[in-house]
Amino acid sequence: PSGPTSGVGVDDTYLAVANHYDDTTGYEALSKVYKLAAGAFTEVAAVTTYGAAHCEAFTIGGEHFVAVANYFDGTFHTVSSAVYKWSWAGG
């Protein structure tokens, strides 16, 4: 599994964590994005990933994204990677 990566938004800092494997669901795992506020990270997004090898949170023009490099779904290594756009209240 890859380590966490961070992205800096316009005035915000985000941390994206690629979860490669879950003991309950196998390679289908939730990878998460956290926002730094008041000195602590709070989860702001979670996406289903498949053997995620890397993810990156980033901001373009004030819009927030997370890119995920999926690697393995438990059977095949030919799983698609994805870029997700998200928003949340107060975000």
Side-chain angles (χ1 to χ4, degrees), residues 57-76:
F58 58 97
T59 301
I60 298 175
E63 296 182 306
H64 307 290
F65 302 86
V66 62
V68 178
N70 289 311
Y71 177 69
F72 184 60
D73 67 3
T75 304
F76 301 101

Side-chain angles (χ1 to χ4, degrees), residues 13-17 32-46 86 88-89:
T13 300
Y14 298 93
L15 174 70
V17 179
K32 300 185 177 186
V33 178
Y34 301 88
K35 179 180 179 181
L36 180 63
F41 283 100
T42 302
E43 181 182 326
V44 294
W86 84 91
W88 59 92

Side-chain angles (χ1 to χ4, degrees), residues 1-63:
S2 93
T5 62
S6 62
V8 179
V10 175
D11 290 318
D12 300 318
T13 300
Y14 298 93
L15 174 70
V17 179
N19 288 314
H20 182 75
Y21 188 86
D22 181 284
D23 287 340
T24 303
T25 58
Y27 290 98
E28 182 178 324
L30 288 176
S31 291
K32 300 185 177 186
V33 178
Y34 301 88
K35 179 180 179 181
L36 180 63
F41 283 100
T42 302
E43 181 182 326
V44 294
V47 294
T48 300
T49 56
Y50 300 91
H54 185 81
C55 65
E56 188 80 31
F58 58 97
T59 301
I60 298 175
E63 296 182 306

